Amino acid sequence: MFKGVYNMSSFSVFQRFSVQEFMTFTSQLVAEYSAKGSRDSVEEQVYFCHVYIRSDGLAGVVIANNVYLSRVAFTLLEKVLDEFFKRVDRIDWPVGSPATRYQNCQEADPISTS
């Protein structure tokens, strides 16, 4: 089961639906072909898809431009997945939803401002 949180504010109202479809499809595809316990970055068009799949199978994907550093993306993914794991029982993973989202990379990694 896939759960998504999207920040579509940088896209026009007319682009948002197709961009969200692209993000959903790409996230599912990248996560499906990545191994448990892995961190990967894949370039797709002008975006980078950063995927982290924990050894327990819980996965997260960040799609960002090249300004959003991979180190920051993986720090964010680790925080979000840890928070999800703490708040949602494993039996509820298929119906749970993420409670945390970061739209500003500085919130996920204060070092990036240095």
Side-chain angles (χ1 to χ4, degrees):
M1 177 64 71
F2 178 80
K3 299 293 178 188
V5 177
Y6 304 91
N7 177 3
M8 308 301 284
S9 62
S10 64
F11 300 99
S12 77
V13 173
F14 302 107
Q15 294 177 309
R16 290 178 183 175
F17 180 76
S18 60
V19 171
Q20 185 171 332
E21 280 188 327
F22 158 78
M23 294 172 86
T24 300
F25 175 77
T26 303
S27 295
Q28 290 173 327
L29 188 65
V30 170
E32 181 180 328
Y33 286 101
S34 297
K36 286 184 180 180
S38 70
R39 297 171 192 244
D40 294 309
S41 294
V42 177
E43 187 173 0
E44 178 60 36
Q45 297 180 21
V46 296
Y47 299 98
F48 286 88
C49 304
H50 307 285
V51 60
Y52 171 39
I53 303 187
R54 294 169 24 138
S55 58
D56 59 11
L58 189 59
V61 177
V62 169
I63 298 177
N65 60 20
N66 62 347
V67 175
Y68 207 88
L69 303 173
S70 62
R71 178 180 49 80
V72 177
F74 290 122
T75 298
L76 165 68
L77 286 168
E78 190 170 344
K79 286 180 180 181
V80 169
L81 294 177
D82 286 347
E83 188 68 25
F84 186 89
F85 182 79
K86 289 176 190 173
R87 292 183 182 210
V88 180
D89 290 334
R90 187 177 183 124
I91 196 165
D92 294 327
W93 286 3
V95 294
S97 63
T100 306
R101 73 173 151 179
Y102 294 95
Q103 296 177 4
N104 181 343
C105 62
Q106 295 170 356
E107 292 176 22
D109 184 17
I111 295 174
S112 66
T113 60
S114 310

